[in-house]
């Protein structure tokens, strides 16, 4: 298995953790304020990673530290918009697929920022993936809501962060970069919580259990794996692999919350998988049939 295929499998596993993260987060904010939850979650995650990378700080220049922190600012804005959208949204499935639009936006931003033109196969795959996302998002009709708009804002910010992080991962050690960005996100989120939220006087023990899963598995481990995957994977390729996150989220929502998987959602998942296969093979599978 070559390096890029290995990176692809790491990203695929990352999408499963990300899907679990939606469940962990939804459960946690039943007892913690959304911004406060994100702040504590990412601060704890960064502290867990610190012993593994503290010696690497000496390798950083001031410029690289500033760039890593800048990436953390983008990530914090993305996460704050995401958790707020979760707190006001009734379903996880639709939100997950709106957020996954960020993976469609990623190659376009890479082209704009870095003149990194996507492969030709991407432009054939993208409309298929968008159609699949539409089938999933429009299952019960499209009714514009505040939650959908916040999920869309999150998608745009995630696409920007994905591109910036892919470049930073080639210049800054993975664990160190992840630790810095998680710390910056935690600090900014806690500041936002202090300004706009009131922390409860008591929190149930079960909420802290969900919080621990969110911080350790869906944050520390997930972002290390994502950064590793991005380091060895073409951005457009990585972007399409990350489309598996909403599929995992829908499946887990069905298992955990009993959400219904309609015919439209099945068609949508099929279209997304078709787009992924087409892109991954540069259309070779379809060409062989002719």
């Amino acid at each position: 298995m070559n390096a890029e295929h290995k990176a692809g499998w790491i990203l695929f596993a990352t999408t499963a953790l990300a899907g679990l993260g939606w469940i962990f987060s939804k459960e946690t904010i039943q007892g913690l304020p959304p911004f406060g939850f994100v702040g504590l979650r990412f601060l704890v995650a960064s502290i867990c990673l610190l012993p593994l990378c503290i010696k690497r700080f000496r390798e950083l220049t001031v410029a690289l530290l500033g760039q890593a922190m800048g990436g953390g600012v983008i990530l914090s804005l993305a996460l704050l918009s995401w958790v707020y959208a979760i707190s006001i949204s009734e379903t996880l499935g639709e939100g997950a697929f709106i957020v996954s639009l960020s993976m469609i936006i990623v190659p376009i931003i890479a082209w704009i920022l870095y003149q990194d033109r996507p492969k030709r196969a991407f432009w054939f795959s993208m409309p298929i993936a968008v159609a699949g996302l539409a089938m999933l998002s429009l299952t019960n009709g499209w009714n514009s809501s505040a939650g959908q708009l916040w999920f869309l804002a999150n998608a745009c910010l995630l696409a920007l962060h994905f591109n910036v992080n892919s470049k930073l991962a080639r210049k800054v050690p993975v664990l160190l970069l992840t630790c810095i960005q998680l710390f910056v996100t935690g600090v900014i989120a806690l500041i936002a919580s202090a300004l706009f939220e009131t922390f409860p006087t008591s929190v149930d023990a079960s909420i802290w259990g969900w919080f621990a899963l969110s911080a350790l598995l869906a944050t520390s481990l997930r972002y290390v794996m994502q950064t590793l995957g991005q380091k060895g994977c073409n951005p457009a390729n990585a972007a399409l692999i990350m489309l598996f996150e909403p599929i995992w989220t829908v499946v887990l929502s069905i298992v955990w919350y009993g959400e219904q998987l309609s015919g439209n959602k099945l068609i949508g998942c099929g279209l997304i998988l078709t787009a992924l296969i087409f892109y991954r093979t540069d259309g070779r599978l379809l060409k062989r049939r002719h």
Side-chain angles (χ1 to χ4, degrees):
M1 183 182 293
N2 62 35
E4 183 160 357
H5 284 158
K6 187 179 295 184
W9 280 110
I10 290 173
L11 284 176
F12 179 73
T14 300
T15 63
L17 282 177
L20 285 168
W22 285 74
I23 305 297
F24 299 158
S25 298
K26 187 70 173 178
E27 292 295 320
T28 305
I29 62 176
Q30 304 304 311
L32 291 176
F35 293 169
F37 157 61
V38 169
L40 290 174
R41 169 184 172 180
F42 281 78
L43 197 61
V44 168
S46 67
I47 292 172
C48 290
L49 292 179
L50 184 61
L52 303 176
C53 62
I54 191 168
K55 294 181 179 180
R56 308 297 297 271
F57 271 93
R58 290 175 295 183
E59 302 175 16
L60 278 183
T61 64
V62 175
L64 282 178
L65 177 61
Q67 291 175 31
M69 293 179 69
V73 172
I74 298 171
L75 181 62
S76 68
L77 295 175
L79 268 295
L80 288 176
S81 61
W82 172 76
V83 78
Y84 181 70
I86 282 183
S87 69
I88 63 175
S89 179
E90 295 181 358
T91 62
L92 295 183
E94 180 179 294
F97 281 99
I98 294 173
V99 169
S100 69
L101 285 171
S102 63
M103 296 300 103
I104 296 296
I105 300 169
V106 163
I108 300 171
I109 290 182
W111 190 13
I112 294 171
L113 293 181
Y114 308 117
Q115 290 74 54
D116 186 8
R117 188 182 179 93
K119 294 189 296 184
R120 187 177 180 182
F122 176 79
W123 298 107
F124 290 97
S125 302
M126 183 176 66
I128 301 172
V130 170
L133 293 172
M135 291 295 293
L136 288 152
S137 297
L138 304 178
T139 298
N140 297 312
W142 181 268
N143 298 309
S144 182
S145 67
Q148 290 171 344
L149 294 176
W150 280 105
F151 278 129
L152 185 58
N154 172 247
C156 295
L157 288 166
L158 283 178
L160 177 60
H161 177 261
F162 201 92
N163 276 286
V164 170
N165 210 40
S166 293
K167 297 294 182 181
L168 286 173
R170 296 182 175 93
K171 299 184 288 185
V172 181
V174 170
L175 283 175
L176 181 57
L177 176 61
T178 305
C179 182
I180 292 170
Q181 293 194 353
L182 297 186
F183 178 79
V184 170
T185 298
V187 170
I188 291 177
L190 286 176
I191 292 172
S193 180
L195 292 174
F196 304 112
E197 298 175 333
T198 301
F199 211 85
T201 54
S202 63
V203 179
D204 191 80
S206 64
I207 298 296
W208 289 118
W210 289 113
F211 172 81
L213 289 172
S214 180
L216 299 178
L217 295 183
T219 308
S220 295
L221 182 59
R222 177 255 179 109
Y223 279 97
V224 168
M225 290 173 63
Q226 180 172 319
T227 306
L228 277 171
Q230 286 182 249
K231 184 177 181 179
C233 203
N234 176 275
N237 195 8
L240 283 171
I241 293 173
M242 294 298 286
L243 283 172
F244 275 101
E245 177 180 341
I247 296 175
W248 281 114
T249 304
V250 168
V251 171
L252 291 168
S253 295
I254 291 169
V255 173
W256 191 255
Y257 295 114
E259 290 188 17
Q260 297 297 312
L261 186 61
S262 65
N264 279 10
K265 288 186 177 181
L266 285 171
I267 294 171
C269 290
L271 286 171
I272 291 171
L273 290 175
T274 299
L276 286 167
I277 293 170
F278 186 91
Y279 183 81
R280 290 284 290 175
T281 63
D282 287 325
R284 287 191 297 272
L285 289 180
L286 295 181
K287 290 177 182 177
R288 286 175 186 173
R289 293 185 178 181
H290 297 285

